[in-house]
Structures are given as C-alpha cells and as structure tokens.
Amino acid sequence: MRILLTGGAGFIGQHVLRAALAAGHDVLVLDNLRADVHPVPSWTPPDGAHFLRGDVRDADACDEALREVDSVIHLAAKVGLGVDISDLPDYASSNDVGTATLLARMAAAGRRELVLAASMVVYGEGRGECEVHGLSRGLPRTPEHLEAGDFEPRCVTCGRVLAPALVAEEVAADPRNAYAVSKLAQEHYATTWARETSSSATALRFHNVYGPGMPSNTPYAGVASLFAAASRRGEAPRVFEDGGQRRDFVHVRDIASAVVAAAEQPREGFRAYNVGSGTPRTVGDLATELATALDGPAPVVTGQWRLGDVRHITADSAAIRRDLGWAPREDFAAGVRELAVSGS
C-alpha cells in the first residue's frame, strides 16, 4: 500500500513512518518542517521513504502529494495546550484549515481512506463517579477553586467531588482549550468528508504520548519531555497542582502500531477510537520515575495551575482492541528509562 503521511518528520510521525515501512508499505511524507517543531529546518527520510516539503494548507502541495496514493495518515498539526490566547489563530489555521484543505483535495483526487491523529483532549474532564448520581460530567474548574488548591472536578448535579472513571468513545466531547477545540473540529471535518464521499475515516484519540524523540526545546512540548529536560539539567521537575492528575501515558511505538493497524483495516464511514495503555498513572508518578531514572532531584509540587488543564482523563481502549486487534506492548518503567537515556 502507498501511504501519504502528513507530519511524518515530527515526533510521532517518525515512529509511524518506521512502523509503516517495517510493515512493507511505501510511504510519502508531507511535512512543512515548521520552526516551532524543527528548529533546524531540514530532514532526511529513512531508506525506503519519500519526502515532499509542503504544507497541508497549500492545495497545490496536497495535490502533488496525493498522486497515486492509496491511503492518507494525517498527523500534521500544531500540538500542545498553547501559551496564551494569541495562539488561537495558529491552532485554527494549522489544524482546522489544514485538515479541511487536505480533505477537499482528497475528495477531488478520489482518495477514500483516512486515518486522523485525534486526541483525548476532546473529552475535557471526561467523566467521573459521583457517590449519589453515578457517572457524571465534571463541572468546569474555576480560578477561585484552583487558587484555593481545590483541584478535583465536581458533579454537575450536586457539586460533590467525583472519583475518576475511564472514558469511552461515546462520552460527549467537552473541549476546554484552543488545542482541544481544534482537534474536535478536525473530527467534524473528517465526519462530514466521510459521509459525503462514502469514504473511510478513522480518528485515533491518542492519550498522553511519551517516548524517544520527544521535543523538549519548545513551549509546546509534552509534560514527559519537560520533566526529563529538567532532570538532565540537574533541576527538580516542577509538577503543577498537587501531582495527582491522572493520565494514561502511552508509548509512542504503541501509538505507531495502532496507526498502522487502522490504515490497514479501513472501516466504512467515520469511527473514533481511544488509544491508551489502559493503566492510569498520575503526573507526579511520571515526574518521579523520570527523576529517578536520571538520578536527579525529587520533583517539586508547586500548586501552580493552568485554567485550560483538566484534572483526570484516562482511556477505555476496549473498542480498538476488539475491532482492530491492537494492544499496547511497551512497559511503562522501561519506556520511561528509554526516554531518560535518549536525550529527547
């Protein structure tokens, strides 16, 4: 199969590229090598891959890339929570306009198979368990509560603190920052495209991805990369809130295998799948593991907070296991050690 891989020079993209090549596929990478991801704007693809430098917002670049491909894996996006409100136009342009342009050109070229890199951020707080009302959506956290150190989400009906619960794909979306809004918009565009062109669109909602090659020299870097970079400098990782935020940390090689599995098994219409390890861990756990692996100082819990953050979001990935036969294989402790020694 000949695959167009957008964003293939990025952190996740390079792992997906290696997995696709190892599975015997022919891969063309389309990437604009944007400066906030690639400080040195050059990249050489591995043997067996082809590279076209271009932007998915450019219809001509998309048309050139879409010639003679069977399937598209769309990873190209601006990632991260964002620095401030001035990031809004870039998220909308990079993620929403980019996806809309690519899909329009796919329709024109008659390309009918898409795998979209989606994100768990679309769920917001997801849901939790209220001792009175059962599964409940968490109320948005307010600056007043966060400043007082009251970090836990509360039941929308009675205001009681919610116990964390796994989030399945049918939970309604509730994006709470610019990145989340843009990722949900990508899914809506893909849904519309799949319906109107009788095509296949599989959105993989990645949970917190970590592993070798994570960028650390950008304000949009992931938390695992930021913690590792601090430990390498001999500094204590700084953990926001009280460190009890629950996440599902999933290794990038497991993400890559899920992407390739989805590309090899297109499904009619639009379908979204969670992609997580299935084992919730706290942000504090991750910081401690990395500090220990790098023989650095213990993490410092700062109590600082960001309004766009969510408290707990952990996946139920049963559907992708059932439908695509995918399962995570990477051990968390070994993966953290690998990240620690990789220098990324």
Side-chain angles (χ1 to χ4, degrees):
M1 179 166 58
R2 183 168 174 81
I3 297 171
L4 170 61
L5 172 61
T6 75
F11 162 49
I12 295 176
Q14 292 192 55
H15 287 272
V16 171
L17 175 57
R18 284 192 286 270
L21 292 173
H25 301 298
D26 186 17
V27 185
L28 169 64
V29 171
L30 176 66
D31 199 300
N32 67 356
L33 302 182
R34 55 183 297 161
D36 59 355
V37 180
H38 304 274
V40 179
S42 63
W43 180 70
T44 302
D47 290 343
H50 313 277
F51 176 49
L52 172 64
R53 185 170 181 178
D55 196 305
V56 291
R57 292 169 290 189
D58 181 343
D60 290 339
C62 289
D63 287 345
E64 182 177 355
L66 286 165
R67 294 173 186 163
E68 300 179 2
V69 300
D70 304 301
S71 179
V72 176
I73 297 172
H74 181 35
L75 305 184
K78 179 181 176 68
V79 302
L81 177 61
V83 175
D84 55 42
I85 202 68
S86 67
D87 278 328
L88 282 170
D90 196 7
Y91 280 113
S93 175
S94 300
N95 300 355
D96 304 348
V97 174
T99 299
T101 302
L102 175 65
L103 292 173
R105 302 322 302 162
M106 287 180 67
R111 305 298 176 243
R112 296 289 182 260
E113 295 178 7
L114 172 75
V115 178
L116 172 68
S119 175
M120 56 82 186
V121 295
V122 301
Y123 296 118
E125 286 288 352
R127 63 182 181 179
E129 186 83 29
C130 174
E131 62 183 18
V132 174
H133 297 102
L135 290 174
S136 171
R137 172 75 69 186
L139 285 167
R141 302 189 300 170
T142 67
E144 293 75 20
H145 283 99
L146 293 167
E147 192 63 37
D150 182 4
F151 300 123
E152 295 296 334
R154 295 177 176 274
C155 175
V156 295
T157 304
C158 67
R160 286 179 171 84
V161 170
L162 298 174
L166 295 180
V167 177
E169 291 86 355
E170 64 268 18
V171 172
D174 185 22
R176 298 191 178 185
N177 58 60
Y179 175 58
V181 170
S182 73
K183 296 305 288 184
L184 183 58
Q186 287 184 307
E187 290 195 25
H188 287 320
Y189 284 121
T191 301
T192 299
W193 169 82
R195 182 178 62 248
E196 294 190 5
T197 62
S198 299
S199 297
S200 168
T202 303
L204 299 182
R205 293 172 178 166
F206 302 159
H207 282 247
N208 288 74
V209 186
Y210 74 99
M214 291 189 75
S216 59
N217 54 353
T218 164
Y220 306 96
V223 64
S225 185
L226 295 175
F227 288 162
S231 293
R232 291 191 194 101
R233 294 192 301 267
E235 301 171 4
R238 296 178 62 80
V239 180
F240 278 18
E241 300 186 17
D242 61 1
Q245 308 95 301
R246 285 164 52 106
R247 297 290 187 269
D248 187 331
F249 296 103
V250 56
H251 197 282
V252 67
R253 284 194 294 270
D254 285 330
I255 290 289
S257 68
V259 171
V260 173
E264 292 175 339
Q265 301 175 72
R267 310 184 72 77
E268 183 178 351
F270 176 87
R271 178 62 195 265
Y273 291 106
N274 289 331
V275 186
S277 73
T279 305
R281 292 180 173 87
T282 70
V283 172
D285 290 340
L286 176 66
T288 299
E289 288 272 2
L290 280 166
T292 300
L294 287 162
D295 196 26
V300 172
V301 176
T302 68
Q304 293 175 282
W305 49 271
R306 296 182 298 184
L307 190 60
D309 282 341
V310 298
R311 179 63 175 175
H312 305 299
I313 182 70
T314 51
D316 180 347
S317 297
I320 190 172
R321 293 172 182 248
R322 180 190 66 237
D323 291 355
L324 301 185
W326 173 86
R329 300 184 182 279
E330 302 291 334
D331 176 74
F332 177 70
V336 169
R337 289 193 298 271
E338 180 187 23
L339 172 61
V341 302
S342 70
S344 299

